[in-house]
């Protein structure tokens, strides 16, 4: 099977590229700035601007499945995310390829009970509306026969390649730089964190199983942990004392006055000031249990991999 991964230098894009290649698929890894150094030798690297319809169609030509793992900074979601995804969807349709969209859980908002596939998408923030409308448009395209669409959704993630994730930015990379790790808003609320290789195995399952088409799936992850528990594991793996700080809502508000990304992150407070748990029950009932990595192992692997990355400065190709 020939699979094209769009956004292949991002966290889940890179992890999915590696997983698909390990399963023996022919993989083309696409992003604006990718080079062969970013991928294993058996993966084709292709630089392309996914906002350009001609470039997107060329990137997807000959594919059996297109994985859309590319995203944009928060501030660009409202005006630019839907057009970019639509361009990718049209490119997949032109290639007669299935379209597997990698998505998050924002559309569900912050319910008082665990998020499941049966949960209504009732999020009230601007970002929730963007993601909800995006998912609905993709499934409408599937229902209309324009393309064959599957959506895989997962919660906050971490991993060697997830340098822009909350756990990596506020935990792993700060600790490896000799700084104190920081919890976001509340250190002691249970939260679902997905390890990127686990999420990539779930995405690869959707790639290989065309019966997944026509709906969204919450991807399974290891059991929920608090940020304090995860950051304590980070400190233990790095050989540092577990002295954990906290970014408070007030600190976030002040920082957002001068930092656009932090200003946009104000909408995410409600995902961290209360329990935020997601359950991939439908996925496992349909495709079987997904092997997930215990957080103790996953965090240790992340710290070790990020330490190598920091010391070498080279792209992470494996």
């Amino acid at each position: 099977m020939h699979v094209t991964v769009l956004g292949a230098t991002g966290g889940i894009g890179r992890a999915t590229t590696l997983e698909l290649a390990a399963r023996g698929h022919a993989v083309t890894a696409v992003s604006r700035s990718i080079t062969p150094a970013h991928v294993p030798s058996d993966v084709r690297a292709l630089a392309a601007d996914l906002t350009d319809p001609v470039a997107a169609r060329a990137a997807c030509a000959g594919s059996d499945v297109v994985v859309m793992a590319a995203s944009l900074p928060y501030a660009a979601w409202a005006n630019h995310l839907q057009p970019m995804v639509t361009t990718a969807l049209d490119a997949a349709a032109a290639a007669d390829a299935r379209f597997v969209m990698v998505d998050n859980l924002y559309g569900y908002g912050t319910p008082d009970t665990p998020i499941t596939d049966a949960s209504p998408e009732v999020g009230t923030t601007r970002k929730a509306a963007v993601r909800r409308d995006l998912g609905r448009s993709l499934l409408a395209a599937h229902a209309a026969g324009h393309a064959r669409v599957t959506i895989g959704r997962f919660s906050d993630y971490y991993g060697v390649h997830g340098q822009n994730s909350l756990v990596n930015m506020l935990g792993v990379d700060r600790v490896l730089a000799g700084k104190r790790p920081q919890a976001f808003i509340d250190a002691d609320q249970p939260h679902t964190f997905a390890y990127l290789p686990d999420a990539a195995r779930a995405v690869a399952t959707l790639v290989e199983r065309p019966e997944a088409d026509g709906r969204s799936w919450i991807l399974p992850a290891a059991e929920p942990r608090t940020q304090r528990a995860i950051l304590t594991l980070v400190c233990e793996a790095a050989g540092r004392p577990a002295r954990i700080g906290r970014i408070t809502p007030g600190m976030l508000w002040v920082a957002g006055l001068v930092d656009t990304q932090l200003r946009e992150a104000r909408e995410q407070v409600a995902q961290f000031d209360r329990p935020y748990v997601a359950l991939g029950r439908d996925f496992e009932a349909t495709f079987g249990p997904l092997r997930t990595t215990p957080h103790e192992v996953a965090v240790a692997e992340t710290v070790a991999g990020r330490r190598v990355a920091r010391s070498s400065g080279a792209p992470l190709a494996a």
Side-chain angles (χ1 to χ4, degrees), residues 219-247:
L219 307 183
E223 77 285 351
R225 293 285 184 92
T226 66
Q227 289 184 75
R228 187 180 305 281
I230 295 291
L231 294 175
T232 297
L233 291 175
V234 169
C235 293
E236 290 174 352
R240 303 280 298 180
R243 293 194 293 268
I244 297 166
R246 182 168 74 97
I247 296 177

Side-chain angles (χ1 to χ4, degrees), residues 187-210:
D188 297 305
Q189 298 292 338
H191 197 95
T192 295
F193 290 100
Y195 183 43
L196 281 173
D198 296 347
R201 279 192 287 275
V203 173
T205 298
L206 298 182
V207 166
E208 295 175 339
R209 302 289 292 270

Side-chain angles (χ1 to χ4, degrees), residues 77 106-109 123-133 267:
W77 280 20
Y106 289 13
Y108 297 104
T124 58
T125 66
R126 291 177 297 121
K127 294 181 191 61
V130 169
R131 302 308 300 213
R132 180 172 60 246
D133 292 347
E267 286 191 348

Side-chain angles (χ1 to χ4, degrees), residues 51-312:
T51 66
D52 179 349
V54 174
R57 286 197 176 207
C60 296
S63 302
D64 298 301
V65 182
V66 172
V67 176
M68 180 54 174
S71 190
L72 295 169
Y74 279 155
W77 280 20
N79 295 321
H80 301 292
L81 186 60
Q82 177 76 63
M84 183 178 72
V85 174
T86 299
T87 296
L89 177 69
D90 290 345
D96 194 26
R98 294 176 57 236
F99 188 79
V100 177
M101 176 72 193
V102 179
D103 199 6
N104 57 38
L105 305 177
Y106 289 13
Y108 297 104
T110 52
D112 294 328
T113 57
I115 298 169
T116 70
D117 291 281
S119 298
E121 294 183 65
V122 294
T124 58
T125 66
R126 291 177 297 121
K127 294 181 191 61
V130 169
R131 302 308 300 213
R132 180 172 60 246
D133 292 347
L134 179 60
R136 288 175 178 173
S137 72
L138 290 173
L139 294 179
H142 176 89
H146 175 60
R148 293 164 290 164
V149 175
T150 304
I151 303 174
R153 294 172 170 162
F154 66 107
S155 185
D156 296 274
Y157 62 83
Y158 66 92
V160 176
H161 306 299
Q163 57 265 29
N164 294 322
S165 69
L166 181 141
V167 171
N168 281 46
M169 290 190 297
L170 299 184
V172 177
D173 288 348
R174 284 183 61 86
V175 169
L176 291 177
K179 300 177 182 178
R180 187 180 185 185
Q182 293 179 308
F184 186 72
I185 308 301
D186 190 331
D188 297 305
Q189 298 292 338
H191 197 95
T192 295
F193 290 100
Y195 183 43
L196 281 173
D198 296 347
R201 279 192 287 275
V203 173
T205 298
L206 298 182
V207 166
E208 295 175 339
R209 302 289 292 270
E211 65 268 33
D213 290 352
R215 59 164 290 180
S216 64
W217 304 85
I218 293 178
L219 307 183
E223 77 285 351
R225 293 285 184 92
T226 66
Q227 289 184 75
R228 187 180 305 281
I230 295 291
L231 294 175
T232 297
L233 291 175
V234 169
C235 293
E236 290 174 352
R240 303 280 298 180
R243 293 194 293 268
I244 297 166
R246 182 168 74 97
I247 296 177
T248 67
M251 293 165 62
L252 183 63
W253 182 265
V254 171
L257 296 175
V258 296
D259 187 300
T260 301
Q261 189 75 351
L262 291 175
R263 182 161 60 250
E264 292 289 338
R266 293 169 182 168
E267 286 191 348
Q268 308 318 118
V269 167
Q271 293 182 7
F272 291 91
D273 66 359
R274 65 201 71 183
Y276 192 77
V277 174
L279 302 175
R281 291 170 175 166
D282 280 11
F283 181 101
E284 295 196 307
T286 303
F287 306 115
L290 181 78
R291 178 172 59 86
T292 57
T293 309
H295 287 298
E296 290 78 3
V297 175
V299 168
E301 291 178 351
T302 301
V303 170
R306 295 302 297 166
R307 179 179 278 129
V308 170
R310 288 174 59 85
S311 62
S312 67

